[in-house]
């Protein structure tokens, strides 16, 4: 065990392991309800990767801090629910503003962004790599700062070290726009404003999980699948907890394996896709032996756990946290007691910054041509932001984008092009196999919260005719996550396109908007 | 189905007109090109405020605010109606002298006000910077959530038989007949309430879009209690300069802080301009530096339908018999929607209005039209 730090949580002294996230420390202390929703419900961690803003707590007198992104520090004072401050303590200092220039600015330090930054820097471009998270690696290699990267990420991260690319961790990019010949980015860096001027931009912002509403999905202890994994990676202890993993996609197996390894008892893995669809996908996998091995390995890690296809969570129950889930399989319903439900229906590309820049999208992903250039000249995109296709594609696209943004021709690198093509075609089959079934549209009841930021319920949203109208009339998508959680759900439920993105794409201190030298 | 009145545009002004006409017993059809309350009405702050720039502006804003106040109890919670009051803030002693004049103006006309010195202001709003000279409090001003207030007016109109057709763009108004994609519609009278777009249907109306930026924050209940406006606001609102900003901070019922405001003539380009937004935020930080630490979650723009003399255009458009106009409300259309509706219904029905309608007549002379 690492050394301990002393926290004060709602007036109570709490010991936490040094270096973990605030969300993990609170989880370990048995505090699952982190904030009171607009309607007064307890809410806890959902995405655990900084995008849903459900885990907002007060930290050292400042409200609305993301518990999943902040790390504990000795003496930290945390307020949850009604104990969180309403208004920040008057700032002791004016926020600083730092300006940086680069030839190539890469947003997102997942596999795609790291590969892009390596290639761009190695090609001689002054390269800057920005990420919201405290340590590079992205979702798959998420870790705490100071922890050694997993084996699979090490060679790329060492290469990044050598490449000369400048890295800024904990930088949340909130705005991006064209300015003259280049681009301007505005980020928040732990309360300081960071302004980046770059000739080229590479968007490698990855994906988030697709959350579909069902009764009880807002109870603390109901997390995303990757969310539960990320919470554990952030230092949450799962020893002895009973978990149900449900939803859709290959990620479920990886998550179940991870939770089991972290000491959880995985009571069930429920995949909503029918066995038949998976069998077709399985034969596609046979063409990609690496993937098959991976799946077998995950399966071995929780071989005692029942794995059901064609089954999904219809409801979560509990008073102030999840106590059991109701699972449905088309022929009946049964209940499973649990401490944790890890639920997601696949991934949704993060396209907000791309859309702010005016980049075209298609089926919810950023559109790119052969060199990974978007419809906006000078802006490139790579990895899951261009569509969900796994780590190999992310790396290949990152490399291509990095080369191209540095002015080199990536078509001189056929292995990269082949890796990309192979991966993208597999991804298309995967998306079909794991498509959420129609029954999931009927889970939410009229009083089920759909927009968690604003507690907008299904009935009030269903009375509208489009996402923008639902936003104006029912407040769906008006909160700090800016529709990242509910907009994809509304698209699934009603077929609505999401409303236009308005800056800032991420919440940012108002003071950061006060200094813009240019037009 | 025959109809007595067609209202074109379902912003707050069209909604209020529809309600007033329906209340008078007319059968009303509202034609809206997109969806109700999605235009300027969806972008506005929703400050219901009595203004003193001119006698005419005062008369209409005062009548309107009092009409809103009278109906406050009827509004559903989604309208987020609150009696926040307005604090007109004087930064310097010179400005404080103007507060005295302003107070006298309101008092003479029966509007409740209170003068605050620097100390009283600091106690009233602790998040304002120390050292401000004072303020004028207008306690009966209110705040609503405009899109839902407009929807509520439409629902009241519907309860009296009015019909709302969304997705029905009017391509032309020919007297008592309007043309839409699905055919023509006739009525005894037509009201052009299409906001900044009004001149497209009624050429010659002196209305131009005046763009404004707003920024909203996450929820910080209690950061301020009143709508806070710098005393120099009118300089920005009515000044001749093409581009201006003023400190205007509104506490929403949600606990969010809504920050305005900027003004510029830029056609219908809705894009966000970081430079003018920065000026606006800087201006706000001069009054309330603690704002710097609040999380901003969204910026947007909207188009105020502006006129050369800062007064709306309300009444008959004699060139086209049967046509009435209700537009040009600039930055006060949420407030003045109810008074406007009253004037429109009176004009349609030949009734006498509670205030003199002449200053708002669309055909009035516009002296020294400095208008772009
Ligand atoms: C929650 C989750 C868990 C996953 N777990 C696994 C797993 O166990 N096994 C597996 O094979 N695959 C997993 N995946 C899929 C895997 O992430 C992808 O296959 C692939 O690695 C994507 O790489 P990427 O570089 O495109 O994106 P990511 O790895 O998602 O990286 C994107 C990065 O961009 C950053 N970012 C986004 N927006 C901003 C912004 N505005 N400002 C600053 N930084 C920003 C994020 O912090 C993130 O680090 C997971 C995905 C998710 C979403
Ligand atoms: C930033 C900002 C802040 C503001 N703050 C305040 C405030 O605090 N207090 C206040 O009182 N006022 C405020 N205002 C002013 C207020 O928003 C406007 O004066 C008011 O909304 C005008 O209402 P309207 O109904 O005339 O226009 P709109 O709301 O624009 O409605 C016009 C409607 O007509 C429709 N339409 C257009 N053309 C056609 C056609 N051909 N056929 C059919 N339909 C058509 C449009 O789609 C639209 O729905 C603010 C405005 C802005 C921009």
């Amino acid at each position: 065990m690492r050394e301990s730090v002393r926290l004060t949580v709602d007036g109570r002294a709490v010991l936490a392991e040094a270096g973990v996230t605030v969300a993990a420390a609170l989880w370990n202390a048995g505090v699952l309800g982190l904030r009171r929703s607009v309607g007064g419900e307890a809410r806890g961690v959902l995405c655990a990767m900084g995008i849903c803003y459900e885990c907002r707590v007060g930290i050292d007198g400042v409200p609305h801090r993301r518990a999943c992104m902040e790390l504990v520090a000795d003496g930290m004072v945390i307020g949850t629910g009604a104990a969180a401050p309403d208004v920040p303590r008057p700032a002791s200092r004016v926020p600083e503003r730092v300006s940086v220039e680069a030839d190539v600015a890469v947003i997102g330090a997942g596999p795609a962004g790291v590969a892009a930054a390596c290639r761009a820097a190695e090609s001689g471009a002054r390269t800057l790599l920005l990420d919201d998270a405290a340590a590079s690696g992205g979702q798959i290699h998420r870790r705490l700062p100071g922890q050694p990267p997993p084996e699979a990420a090490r060679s790329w991260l060492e290469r990044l070290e050598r490449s000369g690319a400048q890295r800024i961790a904990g930088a949340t990019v909130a705005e991006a726009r064209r300015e003259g010949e280049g681009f301007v980015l505005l980020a928040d860096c732990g309360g300081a404003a960071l302004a980046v001027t770059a000739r080229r931009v590479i968007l490698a912002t990855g994906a988030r999980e697709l959350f579909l509403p069902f009764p009880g999905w807002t109870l603390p202890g109901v997390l995303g699948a990757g969310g539960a994994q990320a919470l554990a990676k952030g230092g949450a202890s799962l020893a002895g907890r009973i978990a149900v993993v449900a939803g859709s996609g290959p990620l479920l197996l990886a998550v179940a394996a991870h939770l089991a390894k972290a000491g959880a008892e995985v009571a069930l893995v429920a995949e909503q896709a029918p066995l038949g669809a998976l069998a077709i996908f399985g034969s596609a996998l046979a063409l990609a032996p690496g993937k098959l091995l991976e799946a077998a390995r995950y399966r071995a890690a929780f071989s005692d756990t029942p794995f059901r296809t064609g089954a999904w969570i219809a409801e979560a129950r509990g008073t102030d946290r999840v106590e059991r889930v109701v699972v449905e399989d088309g022929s009946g319903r049964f209940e499973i007691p649990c401490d944790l439900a890890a639920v997601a229906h696949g991934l949704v590309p993060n396209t907000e910054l791309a859309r702010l820049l005016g980049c075209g999208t298609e089926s919810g992903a950023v559109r790119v041509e052969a060199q990974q250039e978007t419809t906006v000249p000078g802006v490139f995109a790579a990895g899951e932001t261009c569509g969900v296709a796994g780590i190999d594609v992310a790396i290949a696209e990152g490399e291509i984008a990095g080369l191209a943004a540095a002015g080199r021709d990536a078509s001189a690198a056929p292995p990269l092009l082949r890796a990309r093509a192979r991966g993208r075609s597999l991804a298309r089959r995967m998306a079909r196999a794991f498509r959420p079934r129609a029954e999931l549209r009927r889970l939410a009841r009229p009083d089920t919260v759909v927009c968690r930021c604003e507690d907008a319920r299904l009935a009030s949203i269903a009375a509208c005719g489009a996402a923008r109208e639902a936003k104006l009339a029912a407040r769906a998508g008006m909160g700090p996550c800016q529709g990242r959680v509910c907009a994809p759900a509304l698209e699934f439920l009603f077929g609505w396109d999401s409303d236009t993105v308005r800056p800032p794409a991420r919440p940012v201190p108002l003071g950061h908007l006060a200094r813009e030298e240019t037009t | 189905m025959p109809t007595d009145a067609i209202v074109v545009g379902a912003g707050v002004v069209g909604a209020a007109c529809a309600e007033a006409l329906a209340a008078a017993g007319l059968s009303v059809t509202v034609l809206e090109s997109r969806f109700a309350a999605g235009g300027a009405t969806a972008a506005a702050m929703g400050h219901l405020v009595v203004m003193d720039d001119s006698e005419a502006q005062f008369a209409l804003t005062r009548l309107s605010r009092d009409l809103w106040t009278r109906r406050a109890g009827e509004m559903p919670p989604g309208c987020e109606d609150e009696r926040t009051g307005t604090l007109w803030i004087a930064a310097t002693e010179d400005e404080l002298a103007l507060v005295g004049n302003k107070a006298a103006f309101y008092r003479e006309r029966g509007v409740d006000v209170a003068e605050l010195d620097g100390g009283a202001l600091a106690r009233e709003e602790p998040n304002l910077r120390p050292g401000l000279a004072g303020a004028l409090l207008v306690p009966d001003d209110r705040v609503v959530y405009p899109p839902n207030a407009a929807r509520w007016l439409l629902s009241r109109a519907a309860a009296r038989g009015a019909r709302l057709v969304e997705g029905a763009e009017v391509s032309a108004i020919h007297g008592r007949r309007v043309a839409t994609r699905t055919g023509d519609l006739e009525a005894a009278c037509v009201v052009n309430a299409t906001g900044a777009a009004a001149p497209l249907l009624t050429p010659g109306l002196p209305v131009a879009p005046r763009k404004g930026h707003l920024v909203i924050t996450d929820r910080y209940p209690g950061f301020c209690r009143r709508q806070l406006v710098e005393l120099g606001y009118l300089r920005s609102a009515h000044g001749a300069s093409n581009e201006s900003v003023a400190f205007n901070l509104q506490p929403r019922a949600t606990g969010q802080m809504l920050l305005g405001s900027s003004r510029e003539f830029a056609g219908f380009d809705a894009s966000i301009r970081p430079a003018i937004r920065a000026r606006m935020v800087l201006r706000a930080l001069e009054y309330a530096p603690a704002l710097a630490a609040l999380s901003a979650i969204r910026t947007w723009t909207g188009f105020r339908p502006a006129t050369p003399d800062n007064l709306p255009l309300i009444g008959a458009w004699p060139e086209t018999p049967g046509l009435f106009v209700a537009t040009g409300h600039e930055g006060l259309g949420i407030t003045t929607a109810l008074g406007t509706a009253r004037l429109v219904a009176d004009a349609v029905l030949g009734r006498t209005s509670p205030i003199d309608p002449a200053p708002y007549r669309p055909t009035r002379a516009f002296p020294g039209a400095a208008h772009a």
Side-chain angles (χ1 to χ4, degrees), chain B residues 43-107:
Chain B
M45 287 183 110
H47 186 201
L48 308 178
V49 54
V50 180
M51 297 287 281
D52 62 348
D53 186 39
S54 63
E55 288 293 348
Q57 190 193 53
F58 172 81
L60 186 62
T61 52
R62 198 270 178 88
L63 168 70
S64 299
R65 189 203 66 183
D66 291 352
L67 286 171
W68 281 109
T69 302
R70 223 173 295 156
R71 303 191 61 183
E74 290 175 51
M75 279 188 253
C79 293
E80 299 176 13
D81 169 72
E82 281 195 324
R83 180 176 167 269
T84 56
T86 307
L87 273 174
W88 294 95
I89 299 169
T92 61
E93 292 304 322
D94 289 354
E95 284 190 353
L96 197 57
L98 300 176
V99 162
N101 303 345
K102 203 174 172 77
F105 180 94
Y106 283 124
R107 278 200 193 103

Side-chain angles (χ1 to χ4, degrees), chain B residues 8-14 31-35 38-41 43-47 168-170 193-195 197 201 212 214 302-305 329-335:
Chain B
V8 188
V12 70
V13 172
L31 301 177
E32 163 57 47
S33 58
R34 296 185 305 160
F35 60 89
T41 300
M45 287 183 110
H47 186 201
E169 183 170 1
V170 170
T194 56
L201 292 175
L214 296 176
F303 300 106
R304 305 176 185 90
H329 295 80
E330 217 270 354
L332 287 170
I334 310 302
T335 305

Side-chain angles (χ1 to χ4, degrees), chain A residues 38 56 63-64 86-88 175 177 454 468 472-473 475 477-478 482 502-504 507-511 513-514 518-519, chain B residues 38 42 80 145 148 151 215 218-221 223 256 272 274-275 277-278 281-282 291-292 294-300:
Chain A
V38 171
R56 279 170 290 153
H64 304 315
D86 283 340
V87 169
E175 299 200 350
R177 63 175 192 276
E454 297 291 321
R468 190 170 134 75
L472 289 170
R475 301 194 63 87
M478 276 234 184
Q482 303 174 334
R502 297 206 166 76
V508 38
L510 185 62
L513 306 180
T518 45
T519 55
Chain B
E80 299 176 13
Y145 176 56
N148 282 353
R151 267 189 204 85
V215 182
D218 205 334
R219 296 173 185 238
Y220 300 93
F223 182 87
Q256 292 172 285
I272 281 145
R277 182 184 60 180
V281 175
L282 269 179
L291 277 172
L294 307 195
S295 249
I297 65 169
R298 199 173 280 106
T299 310
W300 67 86

Side-chain angles (χ1 to χ4, degrees), chain A residues 209-305:
Chain A
E209 294 189 280
L210 172 62
F211 301 113
L212 299 177
F214 55 87
W217 75 302
T218 51
L219 283 169
V222 179
L223 281 79
Q229 186 184 31
L231 184 70
K233 287 179 176 175
S237 161
L238 298 181
R241 310 276 183 142
I242 302 174
V244 173
V245 179
S248 205
L251 193 58
L252 296 188
L253 296 182
V255 167
H258 191 106
L259 300 187
K261 217 175 105 202
E265 183 194 322
V266 181
L268 174 72
V269 179
E271 164 61 61
Q272 60 85 36
L275 187 59
L278 292 186
I280 296 168
F281 171 62
S283 57
L285 265 190
L287 305 171
K291 293 271 175 215
L292 202 59
L293 268 180
E294 201 178 299
R297 205 171 54 237
Y298 287 146
R299 191 68 188 96
F302 58 98
S303 50
D304 299 335
T305 301

Side-chain angles (χ1 to χ4, degrees), chain A residues 47 49 51 69 107-114 130-133 135 137-140 142 171-174 204-209 225-227 229-230 233 251 254-255 291 294 298 347 350 353 382-385 389-392 394 484 506:
Chain A
C47 80
M49 50 183 271
I51 66 109
M69 300 302 280
I107 307 172
V114 168
L130 303 162
D131 198 292
D132 195 14
Q139 302 312 342
I140 182 169
R142 177 171 284 277
T172 314
V173 180
T205 50
R208 58 180 177 266
E209 294 189 280
Q229 186 184 31
K233 287 179 176 175
L251 193 58
V255 167
K291 293 271 175 215
E294 201 178 299
Y298 287 146
L347 302 178
N350 290 321
L353 291 174
E384 311 260 79
T385 188
I391 184 165
D392 299 341
R484 280 177 173 76
R506 293 291 191 92

